[in-house]
Amino acid sequence: MSDLDHPDGVICPGGPLLLRGDHVVTDAQGRPHRTTRPVSAVCRCGKSSRQPWCDGTHKVLPPQARP
Amino acid sequence: MTPRGVGYLPRMLTPKARGSLSERLLEAIRARPRDLAAVVGDEPESVDDEQIALWALYELHHHGFEDVDDALEWHPDLLALRRRLEDGFERRLRSRWPSPGPGFRTETFAEDFFAFVEGHDGASLAAHVQRTADVEQVLDLFRLRSVYHLKESDSTAWAVPRLRARTKAALVELLYDEYGAGDPDRVHAHLFARGLEACGLSSEYGAYVDDVPVEVLEQNNAMTLFGLHRRLRGAALGHLAAFEVTSSLPSRRMSQGIARLGLAQEMADYYDEHVEADAVHEQLAVRTICAGLLAEEPHLAGDVWFGAWSCLDLEDRLARRLLSEWAA
């Protein structure tokens, strides 16, 4: 029974994908990275220095370069 | 002093007074027997005096003092004085706030919030640390930050039982990460304590409060004010969101500055943790916590913006003061 939204994945417009729970995410080189926190932010702009995780870099990109 | 048993860690002592009100207040709360009624009507002689008095009264609700009886936390005379100082402080914070904020529309709230923070062009201590600060300046900054970072998130946690289901779950989801997700070694305040020790500084809670400028006391007191009062839960969550939105990128700069100066890796670790954690938390704080609150209690929109603006403004005031002192 659920009437309040609580999705496992949330796409943030212009920002990362939020991922709830314990997962393994592979980066662009195919290396696996296990999540370490209750909710993780997966980079979608491709510019994060801490792939595959978001480091906030999307905020300094011009709007058209944001995901 | 009553023996408290093996393993007991002594707490801080009361801070130094900064004027006649704080002098009389601190003497009164240390004394046995006490005449607390005598200080209730005192007026602060300066903002410094007001803020250290309020900070000391608030600390009775956080960890207390080794030289003050814990029973004073809820003493009616101290509560009366606290209420009067809080009224003056809240009025001052609201008088600094220039506008009612962008309001609340569900569809655009997150974008409005990020744009609001981006549009606040404040001075940046992190940029100074990244590029030009010397070791002494950075250590000074750690001392000032320790007043808050050693109780990181604690004031916000007071808001939890005042929220409805959606917002309560959202806030606890974020706080659980702040508090280490069950692992005491990952509690953010503990990471900062380890960083302080590795830099040769004291990690004792409150160790540096006598050294901090009034802007730091205002930052800490604003968070406690917003957290303790159910009425101000909107401001508490707006403050949290603005804090998180301005943390990830500056934390990276702090970490780079720490590496540039060859300071302890443990302190870099604290900031590195915040690069990733706050890239998550900023999204949660805006999209699930504040937006959730305003979906359930839309009348709190003004306070959310007030809390957010206060966070940015108080940091800006501290940054301008430190940068001008360091440039002198």
Side-chain angles (χ1 to χ4, degrees):
Chain A
M1 166 97 180
S2 87
D3 57 348
L4 296 173
D5 289 345
H6 191 63
D8 295 327
V10 178
I11 288 174
C12 303
L17 163 72
L18 297 181
L19 204 51
R20 288 195 166 97
D22 186 19
H23 304 280
V24 174
V25 175
T26 51
D27 63 23
Q29 280 72 47
R31 290 178 301 232
H33 299 262
R34 182 169 283 281
T35 54
T36 59
R37 51 187 80 252
V39 186
S40 305
V42 181
C43 172
R44 291 201 306 138
C45 74
K47 305 291 187 205
S48 170
S49 62
R50 307 169 72 93
Q51 296 292 340
W53 314 121
C54 172
D55 68 353
T57 296
H58 59 271
K59 291 198 286 187
V60 297
L61 300 177
Q64 66 275 15
R66 297 181 193 180
Chain B
M1 201 65 66
T2 318
R4 294 178 188 266
V6 176
Y8 177 76
L9 294 172
R11 295 167 298 168
M12 64 179 159
L13 297 172
T14 43
K16 281 190 192 138
R18 299 190 183 200
S20 55
L21 164 68
S22 49
E23 179 91 53
R24 277 161 53 83
L25 168 68
L26 294 167
E27 270 174 27
I29 60 177
R30 284 190 298 255
R32 295 161 192 238
R34 317 183 160 81
D35 183 10
L36 297 173
V39 299
V40 171
D42 279 12
E43 288 300 325
E45 65 173 65
S46 63
V47 176
D48 261 278
D49 193 25
E50 170 206 89
Q51 287 295 306
I52 196 67
L54 187 54
W55 184 84
L57 291 170
Y58 277 156
E59 284 304 317
L60 299 177
H61 300 282
H62 283 286
H63 291 279
F65 300 99
E66 203 58 38
D67 50 349
V68 176
D69 182 353
D70 282 338
L72 296 191
E73 179 184 355
W74 298 104
H75 192 290
D77 289 336
L78 295 183
L79 294 180
L81 174 61
R82 194 190 96 190
R83 182 65 257 174
R84 213 157 46 74
L85 298 177
E86 285 177 319
D87 282 346
F89 180 40
E90 186 182 343
R91 267 199 306 278
R92 191 162 73 247
L93 290 176
R94 288 190 185 274
S95 75
R96 292 172 182 170
W97 180 36
S99 81
F104 174 61
R105 286 195 302 140
T106 311
E107 314 74 49
T108 60
F109 176 74
E111 283 65 38
D112 290 346
F113 196 96
F114 283 110
F116 177 77
V117 174
E118 204 173 318
H120 187 102
D121 193 18
S124 170
L125 289 169
H128 180 71
V129 169
Q130 180 189 26
R131 291 191 294 263
T132 43
D134 62 32
V135 168
E136 272 316 305
Q137 290 170 348
V138 176
L139 293 179
D140 269 348
L141 184 59
F142 295 156
R143 291 184 186 98
L144 309 189
R145 295 295 196 206
S146 71
V147 177
Y148 173 64
H149 287 341
L150 292 176
K151 62 177 176 206
E152 196 163 315
S153 300
D154 289 353
S155 309
T156 317
W158 278 321
V160 172
R162 284 84 178 259
L163 303 171
R164 299 181 196 189
R166 180 204 305 256
T167 316
K168 181 180 283 179
L171 179 56
V172 170
E173 188 171 57
L174 183 152
L175 290 176
Y176 187 56
D177 198 26
E178 289 282 341
Y179 288 140
D183 180 353
D185 275 325
R186 290 191 52 194
V187 173
H188 284 182
H190 184 67
L191 291 178
F192 195 72
R194 281 210 306 237
L196 288 170
E197 286 164 14
C199 291
L201 300 172
S202 171
S203 64
E204 267 178 59
Y205 182 82
Y208 295 111
V209 73
D210 288 334
D211 305 330
V212 306
V214 70
E215 288 82 357
V216 171
L217 297 178
E218 284 200 334
Q219 284 183 314
N220 279 269
N221 287 341
M223 283 186 266
T224 306
L225 170 72
F226 297 159
L228 270 182
H229 292 262
R230 185 182 61 82
R231 171 178 65 85
L232 294 171
R233 61 199 179 282
L237 300 189
H239 186 290
L240 167 72
F243 199 100
E244 299 289 0
V245 171
T246 52
S247 175
S248 189
L249 293 171
S251 290
R252 183 160 50 157
R253 291 180 158 165
M254 289 294 299
S255 177
Q256 288 167 348
I258 289 165
R260 173 178 66 79
L261 292 166
L263 288 166
Q265 182 58 41
E266 287 86 342
M267 192 56 102
D269 291 344
Y270 169 85
Y271 286 101
D272 284 339
E273 160 65 11
H274 284 74
V275 173
E276 263 179 41
D278 293 347
V280 180
H281 295 178
E282 66 179 355
Q283 301 295 341
L284 295 176
V286 175
R287 294 176 193 278
T288 67
I289 297 171
C290 286
L293 177 77
L294 295 180
E296 291 173 326
E297 303 192 87
H299 61 288
L300 297 179
D303 274 354
V304 168
W305 293 115
F306 165 58
W309 190 84
S310 294
C311 174
L312 303 176
D313 179 59
L314 290 165
E315 174 62 16
D316 191 34
R317 285 166 186 271
L318 174 66
R320 279 187 275 130
R321 175 176 182 141
L322 292 181
L323 293 174
S324 98
E325 282 177 5
W326 288 339

